[in-house]
Amino acid sequence: AGRWRVPEHYRTVVYKGNGWLDLRAAELTAAETTLLTVAYKSRITILVPPGVRVEASGFGADTDTGAGPGLPADAPVIHVRGFSYKGTIRVRNRPPED
């Protein structure tokens, strides 16, 4: 969380726990960023800022960001490649209410 530079390719693995990846104040260093996330019996929540296009794929990756009203063609893109076993990977543009 906080201000940090996100590389073009970033990997995270969570084993039997909960993980947060907060990109709302982060600086994306590329127009397209790929996040490889692995959740083994875990929950990973990825928070993205508004105005970013999110594309999720893999096993167990879910987005709750909405289509967003009219994102420009040059909007940054975050590709989430998620793989989970008995866990979840959630991408949101707001903190969870729970």
Side-chain angles (χ1 to χ4, degrees):
R3 184 117 174 104
W4 62 291
R5 294 179 57 121
V6 182
E8 185 175 357
H9 299 279
Y10 188 81
R11 294 182 195 103
T12 184
V13 177
V14 177
Y15 176 77
K16 293 185 179 180
N18 292 317
W20 285 79
L21 185 59
D22 191 345
L23 304 175
R24 294 175 296 169
E27 177 187 340
L28 301 175
T29 60
E32 293 192 19
T33 303
T34 302
L35 304 176
L36 174 65
T37 57
V38 178
Y40 181 83
K41 296 182 180 179
S42 303
R43 177 177 18 190
I44 298 176
T45 303
I46 302 169
L47 298 174
V48 297
V52 172
R53 188 180 329 275
V54 176
E55 297 178 3
S57 65
F59 307 111
D62 178 35
T63 66
D64 186 17
T65 58
L71 289 175
D74 62 345
V77 179
I78 296 178
H79 299 281
V80 177
R81 306 292 183 242
F83 300 95
S84 68
Y85 174 75
K86 294 185 179 181
T88 60
I89 300 167
R90 226 183 222 158
V91 183
R92 307 179 76 143
N93 58 3
R94 64 191 178 287
E97 290 78 31
D98 51 291

